[in-house]
Amino acid sequence: MAVYKVTVATGDVLEAGTNNSISITLVGSRGESRRTSVNFLFLPGKERNLTVRCEKDLGTIVLVRLHKWRLFLEDAWFCKEVRVTAPDGTLHRFPCYQWLEGTTTVEVREGTAKKLVDDELEILKEHRRKELKERQEAFWWKNYAEGWPRCLNVDSILELDTNIKFSCVRATNFTGMLIFQGATHLLSGFLLRRTSWKSLDEMRSIFSRTQGREIGGCLSCPPPPP
């Protein structure tokens, strides 16, 4: 009997926890474990410990499969990492840092950086091919208009995967900065200006005052030298 100690860590971002069912499968160079339930009610910033028992040694642990099953209501989960301690005491780390939504299974590689030529096991080669295909589908380009830069092949930001979009905190900060910049330019007379600039010095004075506000300055502060 081979016994593996597993720690599953939830990220500390907003709403990272979940009450959906989470289970895990360990994949080694000599075989894989049965699916083992981790438990319910994952809280942000907290860790869950469990024991995975196998009839034989799995060899070097190269992948972990995280299974998320929606019970009644969808509750996305942000997994930070998984740590696996083998029977001989070897610690394997599997950084995840991604959202799991709906009923899904996500495979996470061991955290040691490896090149394609380092993948000796077929299961790792297949994982790399699958990951590359998913990335190509997620970031497929389209031509918005002739002469325009390429853009993602989506009609709305809502179609993007959660792991591609800004987090709630980042999006809030970004929106707040846009409002602040708009108010700053409005107060400085930039947005409502209906006449042409008289000189480059006049333009420089407007943006100097804007910069002063952004770094905690004031309107009475002298502009930076040209």
Side-chain angles (χ1 to χ4, degrees), residues 15-22 42 67-79 98-106 161-163 165:
E15 299 183 351
T18 184
N19 56 17
N20 286 178
S21 175
I22 304 295
F42 290 77
H67 313 278
K68 178 178 173 294
W69 182 56
R70 183 177 64 187
L71 297 177
F72 300 105
L73 298 177
E74 164 60 14
D75 191 9
W77 175 51
F78 186 82
C79 177
Q98 60 178 302
W99 290 95
L100 279 70
E101 295 181 315
T103 298
T104 185
T105 296
V106 173
D161 184 85
T162 303
N163 293 295
K165 294 185 289 189

Side-chain angles (χ1 to χ4, degrees), residues 1 5 14 54 61 68 71 73 83 92 107 111 128 153 171 189 191 193 196-197 203 211-212 220 222:
M1 179 71 69
K5 302 295 184 181
L14 184 65
C54 304
I61 305 300
K68 178 178 173 294
L71 297 177
L73 298 177
R83 301 190 298 273
H92 303 277
E107 291 185 342
R128 190 182 292 271
N153 189 22
L191 294 182
R193 187 179 185 90
S196 301
W197 302 103
M203 294 180 63
Q211 183 181 21
S220 61

